[in-house]
Amino acid sequence: MIGEFLKRWFQISIWIVLVGAILIVFEEKDTPEYYITLFSLIIGLIFFLTTLILYVIYKRKDEDSD
């Protein structure tokens, strides 16, 4: 159950990172839109890394219990 939950959060974080990375290419620098997109990209990366770490910990714990 928790594995599926983490998997979905992982997919959401990938979506946030991809959209932010694509948008940042087309935004003009030193505009509010650029900084909002940059902030979203950073939040998405933090979300991605946190979810990835939790997923790895969960998988290790699951393998140890078998």
Side-chain angles (χ1 to χ4, degrees):
M1 175 77 178
I2 197 162
E4 280 295 315
F5 180 72
L6 287 173
K7 195 176 187 182
R8 297 296 175 226
W9 281 108
F10 188 71
Q11 291 172 346
I12 292 169
S13 66
I14 288 174
W15 178 254
I16 293 171
V17 169
L18 285 176
V19 170
I22 291 169
L23 282 176
I24 201 122
V25 173
F26 297 105
E27 297 291 341
E28 293 181 27
K29 290 188 178 184
D30 296 329
T31 61
E33 293 88 0
Y34 177 81
Y35 291 110
I36 290 170
T37 304
L38 182 63
F39 185 69
S40 298
L41 182 60
I42 291 169
I43 294 296
L45 286 172
I46 291 169
F47 190 44
F48 174 77
L49 291 174
T50 304
T51 308
L52 183 64
I53 290 168
L54 289 173
Y55 189 72
V56 168
I57 290 171
Y58 170 75
K59 281 297 186 182
R60 256 191 216 158
K61 189 177 178 183
D62 192 38
E63 288 175 0
D64 289 342
S65 66
D66 286 339

